[in-house]
Amino acid sequence: MSCTYTYPYWIDSRLTKMKEKFWFINGDIKPVDLKTESEYKDRVLLYDYGGYYSSVRISDLRQSDSAQYQFRFITNQPGGRYTGSPGVTLTVTDLHVHVTSSSSCRNSNCVQVELRCHSSCRLPDNYKYTWFKNGQEIQSETSSSYSTSFSSEDTVSCAVKGYEMFSSPPVYPPRLPSVSVSPSGQIVQGSSVTLTCTSDANPPVTKYTWYKEDEDSPKASGQNFTITDFRSEHSGNYYCEAQNSRGRQNSTSHLIVVSSKWKSVAAGVTVAILLPIILISVFILVRRWRALKTSSEPEDRADNSQQCPPNHRHPEEQDNLHYATVNFSQNKEDPVYSNTGPARCPRHKKEPTFTEYSALPFHNNSKKQRDRVQETAEDSAVLYSTVNQTKRPRTSAPK
């Protein structure tokens, strides 16, 4: 885009000096140099020739660049601000392939279509066009219209001759549609089910149709198909058909099965019954384990003695005494020792009561005592003394 301009060199004997020159977009409240705008960074080049001609070049054009551009300069003179009006209007567009008519091919799975290369800008009638089918240039076609047949996998695009790198987006029939079901999985009887069909196509899909296998007539139309109060007779394979002006395509079959409502209820009841049983069983096992652990701990014992449990004693034997045998050595040098044996615990069966005895052989250095013992028992028998007491005898060393 370019602009020519003039200005006086002298005003009131004052030399005019150029301070700023830039291009901006019309409509800005405060004109801003186009080069400083972020969306134009590295895409704008400004050219100035001798102070009378200016042009701007915008590369990598986008549709958002469509606007009215103006040139402005500022001098050192009072009020020396000037803007070119009305400026230059730029419209950026791209090409599109429009399908003007279509019909099914005879005895073949294809579509016969009439195409036109279209732009929102009116291009000169003498412009020539280039057509591409599946990426390959069709040399024989240079007009803005083109007639051909398409299969489900074909694509077609067009461009202005000499600007082939700016070709239109390719047009193609619907690609293989996909079907989604909500809710997914088995469907509970009596619930609602929604099927959704999606397909990529250019131009976009204009019609969706739903079918059930083994049925000739369609079930519904539209991208979404909802079945309320789903029952067993609704179970089966469903598929959709997507269609645009370029052709049509069917999806693969999707199986939908109804699940018995009573099965779901029975499963819930089973879980509700088994869960408390499991929790009670775990509680009982924990209590048993704690009881076994407690019973395995060692019982308390009295000092230097073993006691019998009360339930092992006969009532008449509660007061029986425990005796100890104490031996005293003849020599003072011999250590004093004791041989203590615990009394046995009586059994539950009532048995005759026996009196425990203690044998107390006394030995000292007295000759008279030794003679007495020899007279009583020459075979070195031990003198026994019988002691009956209600308390446990105490054993003390000889004084």
Side-chain angles (χ1 to χ4, degrees):
M1 296 175 289
S2 60
C3 173
T4 59
Y5 61 94
T6 60
Y7 62 93
Y9 282 97
W10 295 87
I11 298 179
D12 297 334
S13 303
R14 185 177 180 181
L15 180 63
T16 301
K17 295 183 179 179
M18 190 69 64
K19 295 175 64 176
E20 291 184 56
K21 291 185 290 185
F22 59 90
W23 286 80
F24 68 97
I25 296 176
N26 184 25
D28 292 346
I29 298 176
K30 182 179 180 180
V32 178
D33 189 349
L34 200 64
K35 293 186 296 183
T36 62
E37 298 280 358
S38 58
E39 59 267 30
Y40 289 93
K41 185 179 181 181
D42 300 328
R43 296 197 299 128
V44 173
L45 289 176
L46 182 65
Y47 300 91
D48 187 75
Y49 302 93
Y52 298 102
Y53 177 85
S54 178
S55 67
V56 62
R57 177 184 177 88
I58 304 174
S59 60
D60 188 18
L61 277 177
R62 306 164 187 175
Q63 284 189 300
S64 59
D65 293 337
S66 298
Q68 188 178 43
Y69 296 84
Q70 293 178 282
F71 176 73
R72 181 179 178 85
F73 67 89
I74 302 173
T75 68
N76 63 338
Q77 299 289 355
R81 300 172 183 269
Y82 306 93
T83 301
S85 183
V88 181
T89 300
L90 174 65
T91 302
V92 182
T93 184
D94 56 355
L95 296 175
H96 294 278
V97 176
H98 283 190
V99 180
T100 57
S101 65
S102 64
S103 60
S104 299
C105 300
R106 294 181 179 179
N107 302 323
S108 178
N109 184 22
C110 70
V111 177
Q112 186 72 30
V113 295
E114 184 76 22
L115 305 175
R116 183 170 64 90
C117 193
H118 172 75
S119 171
S120 58
C121 294
R122 180 175 176 81
L123 301 180
D125 294 336
N126 60 348
Y127 269 30
K128 293 185 177 181
Y129 295 84
T130 302
W131 288 90
F132 302 90
K133 187 172 183 179
N134 299 327
Q136 300 297 320
E137 181 179 351
I138 303 173
Q139 299 288 345
S140 59
E141 295 294 334
T142 60
S143 68
S144 60
S145 298
Y146 172 51
S147 179
T148 186
S149 61
F150 291 95
S151 64
S152 59
E153 299 299 325
D154 290 337
T155 62
V156 176
S157 60
C158 68
V160 174
K161 200 76 171 179
Y163 298 91
E164 286 80 4
M165 69 286 296
F166 304 112
S167 63
S168 69
V171 296
Y172 48 89
R175 300 312 188 198
L176 181 66
S178 62
V179 176
S180 60
V181 181
S182 178
S184 59
Q186 289 188 337
I187 309 302
V188 178
Q189 183 171 322
S191 63
S192 178
V193 181
T194 300
L195 292 82
T196 303
C197 183
T198 55
S199 175
D200 180 27
N202 188 25
V205 174
T206 56
K207 185 179 180 180
Y208 290 96
T209 308
W210 290 93
Y211 296 90
K212 184 179 180 182
E213 284 189 352
D214 303 326
E215 294 185 11
D216 296 332
S217 59
K219 303 296 293 183
S221 61
Q223 189 170 10
N224 297 321
F225 172 36
T226 301
I227 304 175
T228 58
D229 190 18
F230 199 93
R231 299 185 300 274
S232 58
E233 57 265 28
H234 292 136
S235 297
N237 290 303
Y238 291 82
Y239 66 92
C240 69
E241 179 190 76
Q243 181 180 355
N244 71 352
S245 56
R246 277 285 318 279
R248 61 186 65 192
Q249 181 73 272
N250 291 341
S251 70
T252 57
S253 299
H254 196 95
L255 177 64
I256 304 177
V257 180
V258 66
S259 176
S260 175
K261 186 175 182 180
W262 294 109
K263 288 183 179 180
S264 301
V265 173
V269 172
T270 302
V271 172
I273 293 175
L274 289 179
L275 185 60
I277 294 176
I278 294 173
L279 293 176
I280 293 172
S281 301
V282 172
F283 176 74
I284 293 174
L285 289 175
V286 170
R287 290 200 63 178
R288 288 184 177 179
W289 178 79
R290 290 181 177 176
L292 291 174
K293 183 178 179 181
T294 303
S295 62
S296 63
E297 294 179 355
E299 298 178 355
D300 295 337
R301 292 182 172 85
D303 295 341
N304 300 327
S305 65
Q306 179 178 3
Q307 299 178 355
C308 296
N311 59 346
H312 287 180
R313 293 185 184 179
H314 191 275
E316 297 177 2
E317 298 173 352
Q318 296 292 331
D319 296 331
N320 288 346
L321 303 177
H322 298 262
Y323 303 97
T325 301
V326 181
N327 298 320
F328 297 91
S329 61
Q330 294 180 0
N331 300 323
K332 294 181 178 180
E333 294 77 12
D334 296 335
V336 179
Y337 67 94
S338 65
N339 184 13
T340 303
R344 294 174 295 176
C345 297
R347 293 173 296 193
H348 290 288
K349 182 178 179 181
K350 184 176 181 181
E351 295 180 358
T353 302
F354 293 96
T355 303
E356 299 284 348
Y357 298 94
S358 293
L360 304 175
F362 293 93
H363 304 277
N364 53 35
N365 295 331
S366 174
K367 182 175 182 302
K368 186 179 294 185
Q369 180 68 21
R370 290 197 301 272
D371 292 340
R372 184 180 301 172
V373 173
Q374 290 177 0
E375 291 175 359
T376 305
E378 296 181 355
D379 57 356
S380 301
V382 180
L383 177 63
Y384 296 91
S385 64
T386 303
V387 182
N388 291 319
Q389 300 178 10
T390 60
K391 297 182 180 179
R392 183 169 181 171
R394 298 178 179 176
T395 305
S396 60
K399 297 182 179 178

